[in-house]
Amino acid sequence: MNDILGRLNIAYNGGPFGWGWGFVLYLIIFLAILTLLLQKKSNLLITIFMAITVMAALLDKINAFPARDFWAFFDRVMMLVFPLVVGGMTRTPRSRPWAILGGIVAGVYLFARWFLDQMPH
């Protein structure tokens, strides 16, 4: 349990960018929760998509998958796709920009991690 809690620290996950990965992941989590809180009506599908986004970010934060593994890439793709889908399907205009911003941040994170993980260590 202490190992998992230590991995949830924002400064965990060294590499070429250090604490920045943790900051971006927590920003994605914050934007997903903000999108959920700004919904006027409860919608189960939106809640499930945003919960998957939060769980995918937490899985990436604790390094549940090796960096160059397909499942790590798939985990990051879920962080990209689900907020954009929610941004397109929500009927609440005040939550739409936050969902789209979360998808954009997740997309930048996905491609930055993909690019830097291809570099030889």
Side-chain angles (χ1 to χ4, degrees):
M1 189 66 161
N2 285 335
D3 185 40
I4 292 174
L5 291 175
R7 289 174 182 234
L8 289 174
N9 184 358
I10 196 167
Y12 180 79
N13 197 2
F17 195 51
W19 64 269
W21 296 135
F23 176 77
V24 173
L25 285 169
Y26 282 125
L27 178 63
I28 292 168
I29 292 170
F30 173 76
L31 290 172
I33 292 172
L34 184 64
T35 301
L36 273 175
L37 292 175
L38 290 176
Q39 294 294 318
K40 283 184 183 174
K41 293 177 76 176
S42 177
N43 186 334
L44 183 62
L45 194 57
I46 289 175
T47 304
I48 290 171
F49 284 170
M50 289 291 98
I52 290 171
T53 303
V54 170
M55 288 306 297
L58 288 174
L59 283 173
D60 200 34
K61 182 67 183 116
I62 65 169
N63 290 334
F65 309 109
R68 294 182 183 190
D69 192 33
F70 168 76
W71 295 110
F73 182 74
F74 184 69
D75 183 51
R76 294 172 188 149
V77 167
M78 287 191 299
M79 286 189 290
L80 164 67
V81 171
F82 287 138
L84 293 177
V85 168
V86 168
M89 71 184 275
T90 185
R91 294 184 183 189
T92 307
R94 64 183 180 185
S95 72
R96 185 172 292 127
W98 300 110
I100 293 172
L101 180 63
I104 291 171
V105 170
V108 169
Y109 174 77
L110 164 73
F111 290 111
R113 284 297 300 257
W114 170 77
F115 179 75
L116 292 175
D117 285 344
Q118 302 305 313
M119 300 285 181
H121 297 300

